[in-house]
Amino acid sequence: MKVVVIGAQWGDEGKGKIVDYLANEAQIIVRYAGGANAGHTIVIGGEEYALHLIPSGVFYPDKIAILGAGMVIDPAALFDEIQMLEDRGIDTTGRIFISDRAHIVLPGYTKIDRERDAARKKPIGTTGRGIGVTYSMKSGRDGIRVADLAWKDKMAELENEDRDFLTPYIDRLRAMSIDLSSYLVHRKNSQVLFEGAQGTLLDLDLGTYPYVSSGMSCAAGAAVGGCVGPRALDKVLGVFKAYSTRVGNGPLPSEFDPNAEDELCRFVRDTGREYGVTTGRPRRCGYLDLVSLRYACLTNSIDSLVMTHLDVYDTFGEIKACIAYRIGDRIIESFPASIEELNSARPVLRSFTGWKRSLAGALTYEEFPVAAMEYIEFIERFCETPIDIVSVGYDRKATIIRKSPWTK
């Protein structure tokens, strides 16, 4: 069975924790898009780990972790990450592979990335790690892939600086490279988990363009970046937080008012640890945007949703969620493509009664307070998609499974 886990918002939804949790029942975990601009935080037994390139399932000693064809890989960052894991007692020997079709981030790309964003009249707010430039080189057919490291003519085209950078890594990268399509075909009976990066609303085509990432963070990207046909994918899970966040520039229609709701924003940000794993930047915060969440469900054929950070609302007497946008004198219930419209949109809010108690001790969904169930069940009805998993904390054990994604 092949299961895809994607972000259903603007990234940072908690995908890393969910992939790590679900990887217990998988044999292979494939990260299919993005680069070191992504950041996944995993908490195991109180120990916290930050991953940027390696799939989250690597913490299980018997799992295979693969960097897929849709990724762009900075070799220095990759091997630093592997060393970090080894230093902390995680043996990765023979368990991390790279698709030979994945592209490589070269040193000059980082400089170009930062200069290009700074020169924009309205900066996008990239992480400055050369990710967008690498994807741009890829689409312009000027990039270099892992497979090309053995191609002498291609290597000769590189600048001396780039060749010098790659030289210490070439043998190690080639030793880890595989033909991902063939690899998965020969393991067709394995449970495979496809891990996305960023979120649907940062997808190059489906997201809030141009304030998006450069890769395919939608569910369709799992087929391309995972080197399988779309009909081979059995299920799509969309991860979302009980509220909305965004890093960098771009529209966030349900964002808390910085004047009237500054205290609310600071509480949610600090309680939810809403600071970028990669950049450390504070995330912008807002009410749960159900308009965009429903859009994510529709455009990704999401079979079930995974809700995270619900416990952030444990002390609230009242909770609000955005159910429509007010744009001028119009009420809009669908997610528009126009950035101008999204920037001027104001959230139409619906209030819910809070539960005013900790969810941390709950072992099953039936142990949740009635008010928490009502909030969850309203979201399910609004999005016409079931919420099968609810996370109420950072540790693996703080995860409530209502229905296993490994069932067809």
Side-chain angles (χ1 to χ4, degrees), residues 154-362:
K154 183 66 177 179
M155 293 296 289
E157 295 175 4
L158 299 180
E159 299 292 335
N160 290 335
E161 177 191 9
D162 292 332
R163 272 200 307 275
D164 291 344
F165 167 76
L166 285 174
T167 297
Y169 302 115
I170 288 175
D171 289 343
R172 295 177 72 183
L173 289 168
R174 290 185 63 190
M176 296 167 68
S177 73
I178 58 171
D179 177 341
L180 181 53
S181 178
S182 295
Y183 185 91
L184 293 179
V185 164
H186 288 102
R187 292 158 182 80
K188 60 184 178 181
N189 294 323
S190 296
Q191 303 266 63
V192 183
L193 197 57
F194 291 90
E195 175 182 4
Q198 286 82 43
T200 291
L201 302 175
L202 294 177
D203 182 83
L204 187 60
D205 293 298
L206 298 179
T208 53
Y209 186 90
Y211 301 98
V212 293
S213 188
S214 300
M216 294 182 70
S217 46
C218 59
V224 179
C227 297
V228 297
R231 287 188 292 179
L233 303 174
D234 296 293
K235 191 168 287 188
V236 178
L237 274 63
V239 185
F240 75 103
K241 281 189 284 211
Y243 47 91
S244 298
T245 64
R246 179 167 194 156
V247 172
N249 299 327
L252 184 62
S254 63
E255 188 167 11
F256 296 136
D257 187 318
N259 297 314
E261 298 170 318
D262 180 61
E263 185 177 344
L264 173 62
C265 181
R266 280 190 282 110
F267 179 87
V268 169
R269 181 182 289 146
D270 291 343
T271 307
R273 303 186 201 175
E274 297 300 346
Y275 297 88
V277 177
T278 300
T279 64
R281 289 182 292 184
R283 296 173 186 144
R284 297 157 59 194
C285 300
Y287 298 105
L288 174 60
D289 186 340
L290 290 173
V291 179
S292 65
L293 183 60
R294 180 167 58 190
Y295 168 77
C297 290
L298 292 170
T299 53
N300 290 278
S301 297
I302 291 176
D303 295 289
S304 67
L305 288 163
V306 179
M307 187 181 204
T308 66
H309 289 67
L310 183 60
D311 52 303
V312 169
Y313 281 147
D314 281 353
T315 61
F316 283 51
E318 181 185 50
I319 296 164
K320 295 180 181 179
C322 170
I323 58 169
Y325 302 146
R326 184 181 301 279
I327 302 175
D329 58 356
R330 297 176 298 148
I331 299 296
I332 304 295
E333 296 181 346
S334 58
F335 191 73
S338 167
I339 297 301
E340 188 174 30
E341 288 191 341
L342 285 170
N343 280 336
S344 64
R346 295 295 174 264
V348 176
L349 300 174
R350 171 168 174 150
S351 296
F352 301 84
T353 303
W355 42 94
K356 299 282 286 183
R357 59 174 258 207
S358 173
L359 298 177

Side-chain angles (χ1 to χ4, degrees), residues 68-89:
M71 289 190 68
V72 292
I73 300 166
D74 178 338
L78 172 62
F79 290 113
D80 282 349
E81 198 163 298
I82 291 173
Q83 188 62 54
M84 177 274 292
L85 292 172
E86 297 287 342
D87 290 345
R88 297 184 66 178

